[in-house]
């Protein structure tokens, strides 16, 4: 076998090998596609809340961001003294969440927000969570239904 024939033969084998590898990579990439699910982006949530509160709200972007950051901290369970016991989390904020967030902001950030303002931010944020598909239907307490 002459040298030019050998080069062409090896080049052809290399090309076939690369095509096979490319086909395998392409098939693997297709099989690994998946839906990420809802993604919470705090900047988007802040924009959504500011728009939802309307122009009459005295809260600015930094205020809404501060409230949402403390709410995320609260919902992650980091506010619990004993993290081994699960905490009930409610989108839209319950009274305990509003009280905790207001107290932490007052203590750590030296800013006072009215509880109604914090509750309004959390309520609009719940609408954001619903809009991205991160919130399910309201839970129906079967025990209360049985008592009715």
């Amino acid at each position: 076998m002459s040298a030019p024939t050998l080069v062409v033969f090896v080049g052809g084998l290399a090309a076939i090998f690369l095509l096979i590898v490319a086909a395998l990579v392409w098939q693997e990439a297709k099989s690994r596609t998946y839906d990420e699910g809802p993604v919470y982006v705090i900047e988007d949530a802040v924009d959504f809340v500011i728009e939802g509160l309307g122009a009459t709200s005295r809260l600015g972007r930094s205020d809404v961001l501060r409230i949402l950051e403390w709410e995320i901290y609260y919902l992650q369970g980091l506010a619990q003294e004993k993290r081994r016991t699960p905490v009930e989390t409610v989108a839209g904020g319950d009274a305990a969440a509003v009280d905790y967030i207001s107290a932490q902001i007052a203590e750590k950030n030296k800013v006072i927000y009215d509880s109604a303002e914090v509750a309004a931010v959390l309520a609009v944020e719940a609408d954001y969570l619903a809009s991205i598909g991160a919130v399910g239907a309201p839970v129906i307490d079967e025990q209360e239904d049985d008592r009715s």
Side-chain angles (χ1 to χ4, degrees):
M1 196 181 279
S2 68
T5 307
L6 184 62
V7 170
V8 171
F9 181 70
V10 170
L13 287 177
I16 291 170
F17 176 74
L18 289 175
L19 284 173
I20 291 171
V21 169
L24 291 173
V25 168
W26 178 68
Q27 280 186 328
E28 185 66 23
K30 273 181 44 179
S31 70
R32 291 192 181 213
T33 59
Y34 60 93
D35 182 20
E36 285 183 13
V39 177
Y40 183 95
V41 179
I42 195 153
E43 292 85 12
D44 294 345
V46 170
D47 292 339
F48 189 94
V49 169
I50 288 173
E51 185 178 317
L53 292 175
T56 59
S57 175
R58 73 175 188 92
L59 298 176
R61 182 173 186 76
S62 62
D63 300 314
V64 171
L65 178 61
R66 184 178 296 127
I67 291 168
L68 293 180
E69 285 175 340
W70 276 106
E71 190 229 3
I72 292 167
Y73 182 84
Y74 176 81
L75 290 177
Q76 288 175 337
L78 299 173
Q80 293 177 261
E81 289 181 26
K82 297 179 182 179
R83 295 196 56 201
R84 291 180 188 233
T85 56
V87 65
E88 181 178 307
T89 57
V90 179
D94 58 359
V98 170
D99 292 343
Y100 176 82
I101 293 166
S102 299
Q104 289 301 311
I105 291 173
E107 179 184 332
K108 307 280 188 202
N109 301 107
K110 309 295 186 226
V111 179
I112 306 294
Y113 296 120
D114 184 61
S115 294
E117 290 174 321
V118 174
V121 168
L122 299 183
V124 177
E125 187 213 16
D127 294 338
Y128 169 74
L129 292 170
S131 75
I132 64 170
V135 177
V139 176
I140 299 171
D141 189 358
E142 293 177 8
Q143 292 175 354
E144 286 188 23
D145 285 350
D146 293 341
R147 291 181 208 153
S148 299

